[in-house]
């Protein structure tokens, strides 16, 4: 068999570990492995490279993706889906492993549904917002990076009696904010799923300061919309859309910090963690998860079970349908927010 691998969407710690896992099992089985460059763009334009034992050596701790990535959506350009299918056939590929989040895997699901395309998926994203799996790889690393940053910001907050606002990624879900906020001991966490008003947020900080705590750490998820008692809401995003229809988020931390300082009088600073959360080497947990996902994807290919995605349920690696995984976003359940809330104010 000739097995193609592509990585799509934002880069993410652990991508290379998955590539290594898939390639290793496939090669041992006697399959040939082919890298598809830059996500779906590589299939649309026919850009491939060999992935032999030498190419996959040393990949486990390496961040980013050796295959490159893009947010190309073949369903957005005339003739691109046909190009994907014809380039796949011309390269004599028998199967594809698509490693990505809801966008990349949404394309995989549709190709399989509409054209019986032989594809299996691996759930990647630092946002952890993909359904049908407990965790995506990359999330643990992002949470760890944010936790470390929160720990460091604590010292400045405490020394200067400041409110430190930390803006983290996560798109329209607050997984990174809640988990790193709990781990870092945040005094307030604001996420899209739990619309706390700006007035209530300031009250919680004042309550804390009245208890004699002169500093606070506020973690805000980039997709949080500021809401006010009046019912007014304010989303902070650039209005340019990518090929999957997503706005570019970022900047809510600044607006929130300004509101807090104005309303409470506490000196406030903001730190936007940005792409640091996605960079560098994966944690041990992500390396192991990515490796297990890679092995499972290779097995699914070997068994000819296409239209499936490797998933984590509890501690077991299982497989689920790509349709199920991409049908809706996995949001933060209220129980998780309750854990965080026990330490607010
Ligand atoms: O989906 C991963 C993610 O890092 C989001 O958390 C973030 O909103 C987005 O990608 C940023 O995208 P880009 O790298 O295109 O700026």
């Amino acid at each position: 068999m000739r097995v193609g691998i592509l990585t799509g969407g934002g880069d993410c710690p652990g991508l290379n570990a998955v590539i290594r896992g898939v390639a290793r099992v496939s090669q041992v089985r006697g399959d040939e492995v082919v890298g598809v460059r830059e996500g779906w763009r590589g299939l649309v334009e026919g850009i491939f490279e060999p992935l032999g034992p030498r190419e996959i050596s040393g990949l486990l701790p390496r961040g980013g993706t050796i295959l490159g990535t893009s947010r190309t959506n073949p369903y957005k350009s005339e003739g691109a889906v046909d190009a994907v299918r014809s380039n796949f056939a011309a390269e004599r590929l028998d199967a594809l492993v698509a490693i990505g989040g809801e966008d990349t895997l949404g394309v995989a699901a549709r190709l399989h549904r509409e054209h019986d395309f032989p594809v299996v998926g691996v759930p990647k994203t630092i946002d952890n917002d993909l359904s049908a799996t407990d965790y995506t790889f990359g999330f643990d690393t992002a949470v760890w990076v944010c936790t470390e940053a929160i720990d460091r910001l604590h010292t400045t907050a405490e020394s200067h009696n400041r409110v430190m606002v930390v803006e983290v990624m996560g798109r329209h879900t607050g997984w990174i904010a809640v988990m790193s906020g709990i781990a870092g001991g945040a005094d307030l966490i604001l996420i899209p799923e739990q619309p706390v008003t700006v007035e209530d947020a300031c009250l919680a900080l004042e309550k804390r300061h009245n208890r004699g705590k002169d500093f606070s750490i506020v973690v805000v998820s980039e997709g949080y919309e500021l809401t006010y008692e009046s019912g007014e809401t304010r989303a902070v995003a650039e209005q340019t859309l990518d090929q999957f229809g997503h706005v570019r988020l970022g900047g809510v931390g600044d607006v929130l910090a300004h509101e807090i300082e104005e309303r409470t009088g506490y000196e406030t600073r903001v730190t936007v963690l940005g792409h640091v959360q996605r960079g560098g080497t994966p944690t041990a947990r992500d390396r192991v998860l990515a490796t297990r996902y890679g092995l499972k994807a290779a097995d699914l290919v070997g068994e000819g079970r296409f239209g499936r995605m490797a998933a984590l349920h509890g501690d077991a690696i299982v497989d689920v349908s790509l349709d199920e995984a991409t049908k809706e976003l996995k949001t933060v359940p209220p129980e998780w927010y309750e854990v965080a809330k026990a330490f607010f104010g």
Side-chain angles (χ1 to χ4, degrees):
M1 263 181 128
R2 277 169 64 81
V3 182
I5 308 181
L6 70 76
T7 57
D11 71 322
C12 180
L15 279 166
N16 288 323
V18 179
I19 294 169
R20 169 181 175 264
V22 174
R24 177 62 178 244
V25 173
S26 307
Q27 284 159 3
V28 167
R29 198 164 50 206
D31 292 346
E32 259 179 88
V33 185
V34 176
V36 178
R37 293 293 311 171
E38 295 176 22
W40 292 112
R41 182 187 296 156
L43 272 175
V44 174
E45 297 178 13
I47 322 169
F48 304 100
E49 64 187 27
L51 274 183
R54 270 182 62 161
E55 283 78 17
I56 63 161
S57 165
L59 287 190
L60 189 57
R62 205 161 139 188
T65 162
I66 57 159
L67 295 176
T69 186
S70 71
R71 295 197 194 277
T72 299
N73 180 355
Y75 281 97
K76 279 287 157 184
S77 316
E78 184 79 35
V81 170
D82 291 341
V84 166
R85 297 175 66 210
S86 60
N87 283 323
F88 185 81
E91 188 63 20
R92 294 177 296 106
L93 292 173
D94 302 292
L96 178 72
V97 176
I99 313 170
E102 47 146 351
D103 297 336
T104 304
L105 297 185
V107 171
R110 194 164 164 193
L111 282 170
H112 181 260
R113 203 166 53 237
E114 294 177 357
H115 301 283
D116 207 16
F117 197 81
V119 59
V120 304
V122 176
K124 165 235 75 162
T125 167
I126 62 163
D127 304 334
N128 198 39
D129 59 358
L130 207 61
S131 286
T133 185
D134 290 352
Y135 291 98
T136 52
F137 74 86
F139 173 63
D140 186 63
T141 307
V143 169
W144 174 241
V145 170
C146 296
T147 303
E148 216 207 341
I150 294 169
D151 286 349
R152 289 177 189 278
L153 290 167
H154 253 111
T155 57
T156 303
E158 218 169 339
S159 307
H160 288 261
N161 295 342
R162 281 178 183 162
V163 176
M164 302 299 271
V165 172
V166 191
E167 180 184 310
V168 302
M169 284 183 166
R171 267 220 172 114
H172 302 293
T173 65
W175 284 102
I176 298 177
V178 163
M179 292 299 181
S180 62
I182 293 173
D187 306 302
L188 185 63
I189 303 171
L190 300 171
I191 61 172
E193 294 92 333
Q194 299 280 341
V196 175
T197 64
V198 170
E199 290 86 349
D200 282 347
C202 290
L203 257 171
L205 298 180
E206 273 161 359
K207 194 171 135 209
R208 178 176 155 78
H209 284 228
N210 292 339
R211 277 199 298 119
K213 295 282 194 179
D214 295 331
F215 69 93
S216 294
I217 299 283
V218 179
V219 177
V220 61
S221 186
E222 62 178 359
Y224 168 76
E225 283 190 10
L226 287 106
T227 57
Y228 297 86
E229 268 169 11
S230 62
E232 185 202 336
T233 58
R234 180 169 173 195
V236 184
E238 279 180 30
Q239 285 317 306
T240 41
L241 300 182
D242 68 15
Q243 286 202 341
F244 288 91
H246 299 298
V247 290
R248 190 181 300 161
L249 296 167
V252 68
D254 267 326
V255 183
L256 180 70
H258 183 76
E259 288 279 21
I260 291 172
E261 195 164 83
E262 277 241 304
R263 288 164 187 263
T264 63
Y266 305 143
E267 190 180 16
T268 305
R269 293 285 192 275
V270 59
T271 303
V272 180
L273 293 179
H275 292 84
V276 167
Q277 295 161 88
R278 279 190 353 215
T281 191
T283 58
R285 190 180 168 83
D286 270 339
R287 294 181 198 190
V288 172
L289 184 59
T291 299
R292 293 178 79 200
Y293 279 156
L295 265 49
K296 180 68 179 181
D299 285 349
L300 288 170
V301 166
E303 293 157 10
R305 299 182 57 219
F306 300 116
R308 310 293 295 171
M309 181 188 86
L312 183 72
H313 288 179
D315 211 22
I317 298 290
V318 298
D319 57 273
V320 297
S321 84
L322 278 168
D323 283 332
E324 191 191 336
T326 53
K327 125 179 123 206
E328 60 186 8
L329 279 190
K330 183 182 70 189
T331 52
V332 176
E335 307 88 82
W336 273 117
Y337 197 66
E338 287 303 316
V339 174
K341 244 169 111 175
F343 299 93
F344 290 179

